[in-house]
Amino acid sequence: MCDLCTRNKKVFTHEHDLFTIPELRRHEKFGDDNPGAIDQSGFKGHPECGFCRQRFYGDDELYTHCRDKHERCHLCDRRNGGRQQQYYVDYNSLEQHFRKDHFTCIDQECLEKKFVVFDSEMDLKAHQLQAHPNGLSKDARRDARL
């Protein structure tokens, strides 16, 4: 029997399917879709977390897992309206994304706070002027005001 189905599917115990190990793997990965069969369930398999390689009963459980165990970029979410959610395995990989695609405040205090990152260089400079005015050179403060 499929452990995910026995814990989540609302049917009587005797109604669950019995699988051999290869059949169980096929059930988990591809579902029970049997083209042309009369008893089509539409079940396409248990989704898998691409980071943990753990399977979940359905998309809702996978979403909850990703939301709780992995990281998302709030700037990218805002930019695309949350339509295409991109997850990162942990904060370190998210931080690499921040440094590559956004403008991160490199002040030690902000690095320790985490998530101090901006969509534009102008927003970063405004933050630096407000939060770290003494950490900028006279020329840098003048450039940031322009």
Side-chain angles (χ1 to χ4, degrees):
M1 282 192 264
C2 173
D3 184 52
L4 290 169
C5 288
T6 56
R7 283 189 279 128
N8 295 282
K9 197 173 180 181
K10 306 292 188 232
V11 297
F12 293 110
T13 305
H14 70 275
E15 294 179 297
H16 288 286
D17 293 325
L18 293 174
F19 299 106
T20 63
I21 297 296
E23 290 172 339
L24 178 60
R25 298 295 166 248
R26 188 173 58 249
H27 162 81
E28 291 173 337
K29 193 170 185 176
F30 303 110
D32 302 328
D33 198 25
N34 188 4
I38 296 171
D39 61 344
Q40 284 294 312
S41 67
F43 174 61
K44 303 286 187 197
H46 297 294
E48 180 181 61
C49 174
F51 302 118
C52 305
R53 297 291 177 227
Q54 181 180 350
R55 292 203 178 270
F56 295 88
Y57 183 67
D59 292 333
D60 291 342
E61 291 80 8
L62 174 61
Y63 172 79
T64 300
H65 163 79
C66 288
R67 185 191 66 211
D68 294 345
K69 302 291 184 189
H70 303 297
E71 301 287 346
R72 278 177 37 194
C73 175
H74 62 281
L75 296 173
C76 290
D77 282 353
R78 185 174 20 167
R79 190 180 297 155
N80 69 29
R83 289 184 302 276
Q84 184 182 3
Q85 297 169 348
Q86 174 68 44
Y87 286 93
Y88 297 88
V89 67
D90 56 18
Y91 185 78
N92 290 333
S93 63
L94 177 61
E95 189 174 40
Q96 289 174 5
H97 162 74
F98 285 160
R99 291 177 190 270
K100 180 175 157 276
D101 296 329
H102 301 293
F103 298 87
T104 305
C105 181
I106 58 171
D107 183 83
Q108 190 59 40
E109 185 180 331
C110 287
L111 290 174
E112 289 171 6
K113 285 182 188 175
K114 299 183 177 182
F115 297 99
V116 183
V117 63
F118 302 90
D119 225 357
S120 69
E121 189 174 10
M122 185 185 301
D123 290 340
L124 172 60
K125 286 186 178 190
H127 161 78
Q128 288 172 326
L129 272 175
Q130 181 183 17
H132 319 291
N134 297 332
L136 297 174
S137 69
K138 184 177 171 183
D139 291 337
R141 284 194 301 271
R142 185 191 71 236
D143 291 345
R145 280 191 221 103
L146 293 178

